[in-house]
Amino acid sequence: MENVLEGISLALNFNALAGILLGIVLGQILGSIPGLTAAMAVALLVPFSFYFDPWVGIPMMLAMFKGSLFGSSIPAILLRTPGTPAAAATVIDGNPLARRGKGGKAMHTVLFASVFGDSFSDIVLIFGAGALAAVAIRFGPSEYAILVFFALLSLISLHRGSAWKGIAAISAGVLLACIGLDPITGAPRLTFGNAELFDGIGLIPMLIGFLAISEVFRQLEQPVRLLGERALAFSSRREDNRLSGKERLSLLPTLLRSSAIGTATGALPGLGSTVAAFIAYNEARRTAAKPEQFGKGSLHGIAAPEAANNAVGGANLIPLLAFGIPGDVAAALILGALLIQGITPGPVAFRDNPAPIYAIFVAMLLANLVNYLVGLGFIPLAKKMVSLPKRLLFPAVLVLASAGAYAMRGSLFDVQLMFVFGLVGWLMAKYRFPSVLLLIGFILTPILERSIRQTLILVEAADGWFAFVASRPVLMILLGVLAILTAIVVRQRLMMKRYGLPKGPA
């Protein structure tokens, strides 16, 4: 208890609070710029963290990470341009709601869900890091493969449009993800001798192209006289610019479920916030009382991915602090900063450096409060930015999108790809192909391929499938659950075909 009280006193000093405030402000600004991912925002602070005490520098980095995740959702809602890949799922319902004049309500929903998911995972980290890490450490490549199959099954069960268009979109995403060097042998695949493709297709230019540039192309189809109108109009009604207490209560089941999904995903190294966001969105739609509202501006469709992708942030520290295993790039950067400060993550961290660790925990909770308060001031500024006429705003979107696509790898080829994907996304929307399924297929394929191929190597070393599966009880449980879910999905599709149930949105 003495160490806990000392940690609280360290987190509440002026320097720590100033560091948290600075991190949140910079994170929200940088996160709202397409292409500057949360990990890139954290990387900017790593060199400076050496000059701060650990209970100042580390919370500042975590605060920037939290702020950037919220900031990235603002352009996702208002401009269909996610600041980071984790905000791609927010576009699906956030932008349609904003087009109905309720952009203020959408942004307040994002802010509430972000802080809720963050706080949920931070509390789980503080009280249950050891137990969750003990489960996470049992997951190997085969278990990761099963988790990806869960996500794909969820997609198949939720897609209500044309079956062949959905399959074509997912297949296109899988094919695009195979471009580049083989993850095991290093041999080039589908590069056609182009050295620019050796690193594969960048996720950032693909997301910006499909979501933002395609929207610009769609706007170009409108008559010239409409370009003088505001890019986005906001309702003057008070209830359309806030989130009421009743709406917050109605979102609680979705927020709790999505935060749990994000926390579980974050505790498993390698999956990341983007995967968590799409899984949570699909689960929210599956369990919704009115799933037909999803894709048209559902508050649950906004809250679910935001709570999940923010919950990953705190959960990433579970394997990091318990075993010294970073969950993603941002966690790896935080690991480097901890090592610079002389703190070695792992079981001995709480024994050798208890006070700084508890100070970091308290500072993370304080950062959530600061994120909420600063976010309340950021929302009115964002509304003014998109009140410009379309003829001014959309050229600015093109410039920012091009800068975001270029910034990731410093390649003009990525900018060219962005425009190509923008054209493809415009054509897909025109002919009602679900581009979201293509994006999810692209995101999940590298994880699935790497896990399957590593599993095959382990099976060969274990002298066969039976011996391999028998030695992994967690895998047996997941296979049983997968078999049950597969039967449910097949039955669901057959019932839809037999009784002609409404398909709903694609």
Side-chain angles (χ1 to χ4, degrees):
M1 184 55 68
E2 291 178 1
N3 291 324
V4 173
L5 293 175
E6 183 180 355
I8 293 174
S9 65
L10 290 173
L12 292 177
N13 71 54
F14 176 79
N15 291 336
L17 294 174
I20 291 171
L21 178 61
L22 179 62
I24 290 292
V25 172
L26 291 177
Q28 291 189 6
I29 293 173
L30 293 175
S32 63
I33 301 174
L36 293 181
T37 64
M40 292 175 66
V42 174
L44 294 174
L45 272 185
V46 171
F48 299 98
S49 66
F50 178 77
Y51 300 99
F52 297 102
D53 291 321
W55 56 88
V56 177
I58 305 302
M60 186 188 299
M61 293 173 63
L62 292 170
M64 179 174 276
F65 182 78
K66 293 171 183 287
S68 64
L69 284 177
F70 164 68
S72 68
S73 299
I74 299 301
I77 289 172
L78 302 180
L79 303 174
R80 281 179 59 87
T81 309
T84 68
T90 309
V91 174
I92 302 172
D93 278 277
N95 188 253
L97 188 63
R99 290 186 175 281
R100 287 161 44 193
K102 299 181 180 181
K105 182 183 288 290
M107 288 187 286
H108 278 283
T109 303
V110 164
L111 181 59
F112 178 60
S114 298
V115 173
F116 187 98
D118 247 336
S119 302
F120 182 94
S121 67
D122 290 347
I123 292 171
V124 172
L125 168 67
I126 293 170
F127 293 103
L132 278 175
V135 175
I137 203 68
R138 296 178 180 273
F139 277 67
S142 54
E143 287 80 9
Y144 282 126
I146 299 298
L147 289 177
V148 176
F149 279 123
F150 282 148
L152 292 175
L153 263 180
S154 180
L155 286 175
I156 294 170
S157 67
L158 292 171
H159 178 58
R160 296 292 185 269
S162 172
W164 77 269
K165 288 183 178 181
I167 293 172
I170 292 179
S171 301
V174 171
L175 185 64
L176 288 171
C178 291
I179 296 174
L181 299 180
D182 186 288
I184 304 297
T185 65
R189 303 182 307 190
L190 302 175
T191 59
F192 306 103
N194 189 337
E196 296 280 4
L197 292 175
F198 283 4
D199 289 335
I201 300 292
L203 180 58
I204 290 294
M206 174 178 276
L207 285 173
I208 294 176
F210 271 110
L211 299 175
I213 304 302
S214 64
E215 177 63 19
V216 174
F217 288 159
R218 194 184 71 82
Q219 293 291 335
L220 290 176
E221 293 183 286
Q222 298 183 3
V224 176
R225 58 183 175 80
L226 297 180
L227 295 178
E229 297 179 353
R230 289 185 176 187
L232 199 65
F234 292 90
S235 170
S236 58
R237 297 170 59 191
R238 184 170 180 268
E239 58 268 26
D240 291 339
N241 290 282
R242 58 187 287 270
L243 194 64
S244 67
K246 184 178 180 180
E247 288 170 329
R248 292 172 192 264
L249 286 175
S250 69
L251 291 175
L252 283 180
T254 297
L255 291 174
L256 287 169
R257 181 171 56 249
S258 301
S259 299
I261 290 172
T263 301
T265 304
L268 302 172
L271 292 182
S273 53
T274 306
V275 175
F278 279 108
I279 291 176
Y281 179 85
N282 291 334
E283 185 62 20
R285 182 175 171 181
R286 186 185 68 82
T287 57
K290 298 180 179 179
E292 67 277 3
Q293 294 182 355
F294 278 67
K296 301 177 181 178
S298 168
L299 292 182
H300 294 270
I302 299 171
E306 283 301 311
N309 67 37
N310 280 269
V312 169
N316 270 333
L317 298 185
I318 292 173
L320 176 65
L321 293 178
F323 298 102
I325 303 172
D328 62 3
V329 177
L333 292 170
I334 293 169
L335 170 62
L338 287 170
L339 294 174
I340 289 174
Q341 295 285 357
I343 299 175
T344 302
V348 298
F350 291 89
R351 183 194 67 192
D352 297 341
N353 302 278
I357 294 294
Y358 287 121
I360 292 171
F361 284 164
V362 175
M364 289 173 68
L365 294 175
L366 288 173
N368 295 332
L369 176 61
V370 176
N371 194 23
Y372 186 80
L373 296 176
V374 173
L376 290 176
F378 191 71
I379 289 174
L381 294 176
K383 292 170 67 174
K384 290 182 179 179
M385 289 174 60
V386 294
S387 296
L388 297 172
K390 293 180 181 179
R391 66 174 181 270
L392 298 178
L393 184 64
F394 283 108
V397 170
L398 287 176
V399 172
L400 286 175
S402 300
Y406 179 82
M408 194 65 184
R409 298 190 292 188
S411 171
L412 286 175
F413 182 72
D414 282 346
V415 180
Q416 296 168 354
L417 280 179
M418 177 193 72
F419 282 101
V420 170
F421 288 131
L423 180 61
V424 174
W426 171 68
L427 290 172
M428 289 183 70
K430 198 174 186 66
Y431 294 102
R432 300 187 62 80
F433 281 84
S435 59
V436 171
L437 294 188
L438 185 151
L439 293 173
I440 299 175
F442 181 85
I443 291 168
L444 294 180
T445 295
I447 302 171
L448 180 62
E449 181 189 8
R450 184 173 60 250
S451 300
I452 289 177
R453 296 181 68 174
Q454 289 174 345
T455 299
L456 292 175
I457 295 173
L458 294 173
V459 168
E460 186 177 351
D463 297 325
W465 281 99
F466 182 79
F468 175 75
V469 174
S471 65
R472 306 182 75 88
V474 175
L475 177 60
M476 288 192 287
I477 295 172
L478 291 176
L479 284 172
V481 175
L482 180 63
I484 295 171
L485 289 178
T486 303
I488 293 173
V489 170
V490 170
R491 182 177 179 273
Q492 179 190 42
R493 300 300 295 192
L494 290 174
M495 292 284 288
M496 287 175 58
K497 185 176 181 180
R498 177 179 300 176
Y499 296 107
L501 298 180
K503 291 183 176 182

